Amino acid sequence: MASYRTQVRIIADVLRTAKDNGSEGVGITALLRKANLSYARLVKIVSTLVASGLMEEVIVEKTSRYKISNKGVEFLQAYGHFEEFAKSFGLGL
Amino acid sequence: MRLLEWDLAFAVGESALNVVGAFIGFSVARIARQGYRETGSPTLLRLMVAFVFLGSGLCITGLSTLVDLSALHSVAYLAVAASMLLGVATFMETAGYFFLAFSYGINARSMGKGAMLTPLIATPISAASALLKSLSFVFLLYGFVETMMSYFVYKKRQTLMIGSALALIALGELVRWVSIFTPGVSFVLLVSVGFKIVGFFMLYAPVMEFSSFKGLGEYGKL
Protein backbone atom coordinates (compact mmCIF):
# COMPACT_ATOMS: atom_id res chain seq x y z
CA MET A 1 0.00 0.00 0.00
CA ALA A 2 1.38 3.44 -0.94
CA SER A 3 2.07 5.65 2.06
CA TYR A 4 0.24 8.95 2.44
CA ARG A 5 2.54 11.96 1.99
CA THR A 6 1.92 15.24 3.76
CA GLN A 7 2.30 18.56 1.90
CA VAL A 8 5.55 19.30 3.76
CA ARG A 9 6.97 15.91 2.80
CA ILE A 10 6.10 16.48 -0.86
CA ILE A 11 7.85 19.87 -0.68
CA ALA A 12 10.90 18.22 0.91
CA ASP A 13 10.93 15.58 -1.87
CA VAL A 14 10.77 18.31 -4.56
CA LEU A 15 13.54 20.31 -2.87
CA ARG A 16 15.73 17.20 -2.49
CA THR A 17 15.35 16.42 -6.19
CA ALA A 18 16.41 19.99 -7.02
CA LYS A 19 19.32 19.75 -4.57
CA ASP A 20 20.52 16.46 -6.08
CA ASN A 21 20.85 18.22 -9.45
CA GLY A 22 23.09 20.89 -7.93
CA SER A 23 23.81 24.16 -9.70
CA GLU A 24 22.46 22.96 -13.04
CA GLY A 25 18.96 22.82 -11.64
CA VAL A 26 16.23 20.43 -12.70
CA GLY A 27 13.57 20.59 -15.39
CA ILE A 28 9.86 20.17 -14.71
CA THR A 29 9.78 16.75 -16.46
CA ALA A 30 12.52 15.32 -14.23
CA LEU A 31 10.74 16.78 -11.18
CA LEU A 32 7.50 15.14 -12.31
CA ARG A 33 9.22 11.76 -12.56
CA LYS A 34 10.84 12.00 -9.12
CA ALA A 35 8.05 13.75 -7.21
CA ASN A 36 5.31 11.36 -8.37
CA LEU A 37 2.67 14.11 -8.66
CA SER A 38 0.26 15.32 -11.30
CA TYR A 39 1.55 18.07 -13.61
CA ALA A 40 -0.97 20.64 -12.34
CA ARG A 41 -0.14 19.95 -8.69
CA LEU A 42 3.60 20.03 -9.27
CA VAL A 43 3.42 23.34 -11.15
CA LYS A 44 1.44 24.86 -8.27
CA ILE A 45 3.94 23.60 -5.69
CA VAL A 46 6.95 24.76 -7.70
CA SER A 47 5.36 28.24 -8.13
CA THR A 48 4.82 28.45 -4.36
CA LEU A 49 8.41 27.38 -3.68
CA VAL A 50 9.79 29.96 -6.10
CA ALA A 51 7.54 32.68 -4.63
CA SER A 52 8.65 31.86 -1.08
CA GLY A 53 12.32 31.87 -2.09
CA LEU A 54 13.03 28.19 -1.48
CA MET A 55 13.72 27.58 -5.17
CA GLU A 56 15.08 29.72 -7.98
CA GLU A 57 13.91 29.60 -11.57
CA VAL A 58 16.60 29.91 -14.24
CA ILE A 59 16.05 29.95 -17.99
CA VAL A 60 18.48 27.70 -19.89
CA GLU A 61 18.05 27.44 -23.68
CA LYS A 62 14.50 28.79 -23.49
CA THR A 63 13.42 26.19 -20.91
CA SER A 64 12.80 26.71 -17.22
CA ARG A 65 15.03 24.91 -14.75
CA TYR A 66 14.71 25.00 -10.99
CA LYS A 67 17.55 25.24 -8.46
CA ILE A 68 17.36 24.99 -4.70
CA SER A 69 18.18 28.29 -2.95
CA ASN A 70 20.16 28.72 0.29
CA LYS A 71 16.86 29.23 2.08
CA GLY A 72 15.67 25.95 0.57
CA VAL A 73 18.76 24.16 1.86
CA GLU A 74 18.03 25.58 5.35
CA PHE A 75 14.44 24.35 5.08
CA LEU A 76 15.65 20.85 4.17
CA GLN A 77 18.01 20.86 7.17
CA ALA A 78 15.17 21.87 9.52
CA TYR A 79 12.90 19.20 8.02
CA GLY A 80 15.73 16.69 8.36
CA HIS A 81 15.80 17.30 12.14
CA PHE A 82 12.17 16.19 12.47
CA GLU A 83 12.87 13.25 10.18
CA GLU A 84 15.79 12.22 12.41
CA PHE A 85 13.58 12.57 15.52
CA ALA A 86 10.99 10.18 14.03
CA LYS A 87 13.76 7.85 12.84
CA SER A 88 15.13 7.66 16.39
CA PHE A 89 11.89 5.88 17.27
CA GLY A 90 12.32 3.68 14.20
CA LEU A 91 9.55 5.62 12.44
CA GLY A 92 9.24 7.61 9.23
CA LEU A 93 7.53 10.99 8.87
CA MET B 1 5.27 3.28 63.73
CA ARG B 2 8.35 2.01 61.83
CA LEU B 3 6.01 0.53 59.23
CA LEU B 4 4.38 3.95 58.72
CA GLU B 5 7.79 5.63 58.30
CA TRP B 6 8.82 3.04 55.71
CA ASP B 7 5.51 3.45 53.88
CA LEU B 8 5.93 7.24 53.90
CA ALA B 9 9.48 7.02 52.50
CA PHE B 10 8.42 4.50 49.89
CA ALA B 11 5.36 6.53 48.83
CA VAL B 12 7.31 9.79 48.54
CA GLY B 13 10.11 8.04 46.63
CA GLU B 14 7.72 6.33 44.24
CA SER B 15 5.79 9.57 43.68
CA ALA B 16 9.02 11.47 42.95
CA LEU B 17 10.12 8.80 40.44
CA ASN B 18 6.73 8.98 38.75
CA VAL B 19 6.92 12.78 38.53
CA VAL B 20 10.37 12.49 36.91
CA GLY B 21 8.92 9.97 34.43
CA ALA B 22 6.01 12.33 33.73
CA PHE B 23 8.41 15.23 33.07
CA ILE B 24 10.34 13.10 30.56
CA GLY B 25 7.09 11.95 28.94
CA PHE B 26 5.82 15.53 28.54
CA SER B 27 9.21 16.66 27.18
CA VAL B 28 9.07 14.04 24.42
CA ALA B 29 5.42 15.02 23.76
CA ARG B 30 6.45 18.69 23.40
CA ILE B 31 9.02 17.92 20.69
CA ALA B 32 6.59 15.59 18.90
CA ARG B 33 3.92 18.34 19.05
CA GLN B 34 6.28 20.88 17.53
CA GLY B 35 7.17 18.38 14.81
CA TYR B 36 3.49 17.68 14.13
CA ARG B 37 2.66 21.39 13.90
CA GLU B 38 5.51 22.00 11.50
CA THR B 39 5.20 18.94 9.26
CA GLY B 40 1.61 17.73 9.79
CA SER B 41 3.00 14.20 10.11
CA PRO B 42 0.42 11.75 11.56
CA THR B 43 3.30 9.69 13.00
CA LEU B 44 4.39 12.61 15.17
CA LEU B 45 0.76 13.21 16.18
CA ARG B 46 0.51 9.62 17.43
CA LEU B 47 3.84 9.99 19.28
CA MET B 48 2.58 13.21 20.89
CA VAL B 49 -0.70 11.60 21.99
CA ALA B 50 1.21 8.55 23.29
CA PHE B 51 3.53 10.61 25.46
CA VAL B 52 0.77 12.94 26.71
CA PHE B 53 -1.10 9.83 27.91
CA LEU B 54 2.07 8.35 29.42
CA GLY B 55 3.04 11.60 31.18
CA SER B 56 -0.49 12.08 32.53
CA GLY B 57 -0.65 8.43 33.60
CA LEU B 58 2.61 8.70 35.53
CA CYS B 59 1.48 11.97 37.14
CA ILE B 60 -1.78 10.40 38.32
CA THR B 61 0.07 7.27 39.52
CA GLY B 62 2.29 9.49 41.68
CA LEU B 63 -0.76 11.30 43.04
CA SER B 64 -2.58 8.04 43.77
CA THR B 65 0.43 6.79 45.77
CA LEU B 66 0.25 9.85 48.01
CA VAL B 67 -3.54 9.57 48.37
CA ASP B 68 -3.10 5.88 49.20
CA LEU B 69 -0.64 6.85 51.93
CA SER B 70 -3.22 9.18 53.45
CA ALA B 71 -5.59 6.21 53.51
CA LEU B 72 -3.21 4.55 56.02
CA HIS B 73 -4.79 6.84 58.59
CA SER B 74 -7.98 4.79 58.16
CA VAL B 75 -9.82 7.27 55.97
CA ALA B 76 -11.91 4.88 53.90
CA TYR B 77 -12.95 7.24 51.11
CA LEU B 78 -9.29 8.09 50.44
CA ALA B 79 -8.54 4.41 49.87
CA VAL B 80 -11.36 4.27 47.34
CA ALA B 81 -10.14 7.50 45.70
CA ALA B 82 -6.56 6.10 45.49
CA SER B 83 -7.85 2.90 43.93
CA MET B 84 -9.89 4.84 41.35
CA LEU B 85 -6.96 7.16 40.56
CA LEU B 86 -4.69 4.16 40.03
CA GLY B 87 -7.30 2.66 37.69
CA VAL B 88 -7.42 5.89 35.65
CA ALA B 89 -3.59 6.10 35.61
CA THR B 90 -3.25 2.48 34.47
CA PHE B 91 -5.77 3.10 31.68
CA MET B 92 -3.94 6.26 30.56
CA GLU B 93 -0.55 4.55 30.55
CA THR B 94 -1.94 1.62 28.55
CA ALA B 95 -3.54 4.07 26.10
CA GLY B 96 -0.13 5.75 25.80
CA TYR B 97 1.59 2.45 25.05
CA PHE B 98 -1.18 1.62 22.60
CA PHE B 99 -0.60 4.84 20.64
CA LEU B 100 3.14 4.19 20.74
CA ALA B 101 2.61 0.71 19.28
CA PHE B 102 0.03 2.18 16.87
CA SER B 103 2.75 4.48 15.52
CA TYR B 104 4.56 1.35 14.39
CA GLY B 105 1.52 0.28 12.42
CA ILE B 106 -0.64 -1.91 14.63
CA ASN B 107 -3.96 -2.41 12.89
CA ALA B 108 -6.32 -0.32 15.01
CA ARG B 109 -9.47 -1.97 13.68
CA SER B 110 -8.39 -5.48 14.61
CA MET B 111 -6.61 -4.73 17.88
CA GLY B 112 -7.63 -1.32 19.18
CA LYS B 113 -11.29 -1.19 20.10
CA GLY B 114 -11.77 -4.91 20.65
CA ALA B 115 -8.70 -5.40 22.78
CA MET B 116 -9.00 -2.18 24.77
CA LEU B 117 -12.67 -1.64 25.49
CA THR B 118 -14.42 -4.99 25.67
CA PRO B 119 -12.43 -6.34 28.64
CA LEU B 120 -12.88 -3.05 30.48
CA ILE B 121 -16.63 -3.31 30.32
CA ALA B 122 -16.70 -6.98 31.20
CA THR B 123 -14.28 -7.17 34.13
CA PRO B 124 -14.01 -5.58 37.57
CA ILE B 125 -11.38 -2.88 38.22
CA SER B 126 -8.66 -5.14 39.70
CA ALA B 127 -8.92 -7.69 36.90
CA ALA B 128 -9.04 -4.86 34.33
CA SER B 129 -5.90 -3.41 35.88
CA ALA B 130 -4.06 -6.73 35.47
CA LEU B 131 -5.35 -6.99 31.92
CA LEU B 132 -4.27 -3.42 31.07
CA LYS B 133 -0.80 -4.10 32.47
CA SER B 134 -0.45 -7.20 30.32
CA LEU B 135 -1.67 -5.21 27.29
CA SER B 136 0.89 -2.49 28.07
CA PHE B 137 3.58 -5.17 28.12
CA VAL B 138 2.48 -6.51 24.71
CA PHE B 139 2.37 -2.99 23.17
CA LEU B 140 5.82 -2.18 24.54
CA LEU B 141 7.23 -5.47 23.31
CA TYR B 142 5.83 -4.72 19.88
CA GLY B 143 7.39 -1.24 19.94
CA PHE B 144 10.72 -2.74 21.07
CA VAL B 145 10.76 -5.34 18.25
CA GLU B 146 9.86 -2.72 15.60
CA THR B 147 12.46 -0.26 16.90
CA MET B 148 15.18 -2.91 16.91
CA MET B 149 14.23 -3.99 13.38
CA SER B 150 14.63 -0.36 12.33
CA TYR B 151 17.98 -0.24 14.16
CA PHE B 152 19.30 -3.21 12.19
CA VAL B 153 18.40 -1.34 8.98
CA TYR B 154 19.68 2.17 9.80
CA LYS B 155 22.25 1.37 12.56
CA LYS B 156 21.44 4.60 14.40
CA ARG B 157 22.67 4.90 17.98
CA GLN B 158 19.54 6.84 19.04
CA THR B 159 17.29 4.05 17.73
CA LEU B 160 19.25 1.46 19.74
CA MET B 161 18.86 3.57 22.90
CA ILE B 162 15.12 4.04 22.38
CA GLY B 163 14.72 0.31 21.67
CA SER B 164 16.58 -0.53 24.91
CA ALA B 165 14.46 2.05 26.75
CA LEU B 166 11.25 0.40 25.52
CA ALA B 167 12.63 -3.00 26.65
CA LEU B 168 13.30 -1.62 30.16
CA ILE B 169 9.86 0.01 30.38
CA ALA B 170 8.33 -3.30 29.21
CA LEU B 171 10.28 -5.10 31.95
CA GLY B 172 8.95 -2.55 34.45
CA GLU B 173 5.40 -3.26 33.29
CA LEU B 174 6.00 -7.02 33.59
CA VAL B 175 7.28 -6.65 37.18
CA ARG B 176 4.29 -4.38 37.94
CA TRP B 177 1.99 -7.04 36.52
CA VAL B 178 3.61 -9.65 38.77
CA SER B 179 3.16 -7.29 41.74
CA ILE B 180 -0.62 -7.34 41.23
CA PHE B 181 -0.54 -11.01 42.28
CA THR B 182 1.80 -10.38 45.22
CA PRO B 183 -0.01 -7.68 47.23
CA GLY B 184 1.85 -5.94 50.01
CA VAL B 185 5.30 -6.41 48.50
CA SER B 186 6.40 -2.80 48.13
CA PHE B 187 9.88 -3.77 46.99
CA VAL B 188 8.54 -5.33 43.78
CA LEU B 189 6.70 -2.08 43.03
CA LEU B 190 9.86 -0.06 43.62
CA VAL B 191 11.83 -2.32 41.25
CA SER B 192 9.09 -1.84 38.66
CA VAL B 193 9.18 1.96 38.97
CA GLY B 194 13.00 1.84 38.90
CA PHE B 195 13.02 -0.08 35.60
CA LYS B 196 10.51 2.34 34.11
CA ILE B 197 12.39 5.46 35.20
CA VAL B 198 15.74 4.17 33.88
CA GLY B 199 13.85 3.34 30.67
CA PHE B 200 12.39 6.85 30.46
CA PHE B 201 15.84 8.40 31.04
CA MET B 202 17.28 6.25 28.24
CA LEU B 203 14.39 7.40 26.06
CA TYR B 204 15.03 11.02 26.94
CA ALA B 205 18.79 11.03 26.28
CA PRO B 206 18.58 10.73 22.47
CA VAL B 207 15.39 12.82 22.31
CA MET B 208 17.12 15.68 24.17
CA GLU B 209 19.31 16.22 21.08
CA PHE B 210 16.19 17.40 19.26
CA SER B 211 14.98 19.81 21.94
CA SER B 212 16.44 22.89 20.21
CA PHE B 213 14.69 22.49 16.89
CA LYS B 214 14.54 25.33 14.46
CA GLY B 215 10.97 25.38 13.20
CA LEU B 216 9.77 25.47 9.62
CA GLY B 217 7.30 28.28 10.35
CA GLU B 218 9.71 31.04 9.29
CA TYR B 219 9.56 29.83 5.68
CA GLY B 220 6.01 31.12 5.37
CA LYS B 221 2.86 29.26 4.39
CA LEU B 222 3.76 26.51 1.91
Side-chain angles (χ1 to χ4, degrees):
Chain A
M1 196 178 79
S3 64
Y4 167 78
R5 287 191 300 169
T6 60
Q7 172 80 355
V8 179
R9 188 170 160 192
I10 291 169
I11 286 168
D13 287 345
V14 170
L15 286 173
R16 269 192 198 124
T17 307
K19 192 184 174 194
D20 290 345
N21 283 269
S23 57
E24 290 175 16
V26 61
I28 201 85
T29 313
L31 271 179
L32 260 177
R33 238 189 342 258
K34 293 273 178 70
N36 196 23
L37 291 170
S38 71
Y39 178 79
R41 182 133 189 239
L42 180 66
V43 166
K44 198 176 163 189
I45 286 173
V46 168
S47 306
T48 312
L49 293 180
V50 171
S52 57
L54 296 176
M55 275 176 108
E56 291 164 4
E57 187 177 6
V58 286
I59 308 292
V60 180
E61 294 170 2
K62 293 181 184 174
T63 55
S64 291
R65 295 188 74 82
Y66 299 93
K67 290 196 306 183
I68 189 168
S69 65
N70 288 338
K71 198 175 166 186
V73 173
E74 282 175 23
F75 176 94
L76 268 187
Q77 281 171 348
Y79 181 82
H81 277 300
F82 292 116
E83 222 170 26
E84 286 295 305
F85 174 70
K87 217 179 244 181
S88 295
F89 283 87
L91 301 164
L93 278 189
Chain B
M1 192 63 193
R2 277 182 73 85
L3 185 67
L4 273 178
E5 280 171 10
W6 163 245
D7 280 329
L8 178 70
F10 173 74
V12 170
E14 195 192 353
S15 292
L17 286 176
N18 278 309
V19 168
V20 170
F23 169 76
I24 292 170
F26 286 132
S27 301
V28 179
R30 186 184 63 80
I31 300 170
R33 176 177 165 269
Q34 189 191 355
Y36 169 67
R37 284 180 63 178
E38 303 282 3
T39 65
S41 162
T43 304
L44 292 180
L45 174 67
R46 286 191 284 269
L47 266 187
M48 181 194 83
V49 172
F51 281 97
V52 164
F53 270 117
L54 286 175
S56 308
L58 286 168
C59 248
I60 299 172
T61 304
L63 185 68
S64 77
T65 309
L66 290 179
V67 174
D68 197 32
L69 183 77
S70 310
L72 284 176
H73 300 287
S74 306
V75 186
Y77 70 88
L78 281 178
V80 175
S83 165
M84 284 175 73
L85 276 175
L86 199 60
V88 170
T90 306
F91 176 78
M92 292 189 92
E93 279 186 48
T94 307
Y97 295 133
F98 168 73
F99 277 103
L100 196 62
F102 186 40
S103 301
Y104 293 99
I106 277 186
N107 187 337
R109 271 176 294 186
S110 64
M111 240 185 128
K113 290 173 188 169
M116 297 279 289
L117 297 179
T118 314
L120 277 182
I121 295 164
T123 53
I125 288 177
S126 57
S129 181
L131 200 73
L132 287 172
K133 287 287 164 206
S134 56
L135 272 177
S136 293
F137 177 68
V138 171
F139 291 145
L140 280 162
L141 213 57
Y142 182 80
F144 163 68
V145 170
E146 287 288 323
T147 311
M148 291 314 286
M149 279 170 69
S150 175
Y151 169 72
F152 290 125
V153 175
Y154 297 111
K155 301 281 181 199
K156 276 176 66 73
R157 181 184 52 84
Q158 291 100 327
T159 313
L160 178 64
M161 277 195 80
I162 288 180
S164 311
L166 290 178
L168 275 174
I169 299 170
L171 201 61
E173 283 299 326
L174 183 69
V175 174
R176 186 98 187 183
W177 183 75
V178 169
S179 79
I180 292 171
F181 303 104
T182 51
V185 185
S186 304
F187 177 72
V188 180
L189 278 175
L190 201 63
V191 168
S192 155
V193 176
F195 272 132
K196 283 169 76 174
I197 296 303
V198 173
F200 271 102
F201 269 116
M202 283 183 71
L203 195 79
Y204 190 54
V207 166
M208 210 165 54
E209 295 172 19
F210 301 100
S211 60
S212 57
F213 271 163
K214 186 183 175 186
L216 303 178
E218 65 179 87
Y219 299 100
K221 187 162 174 57
L222 297 169

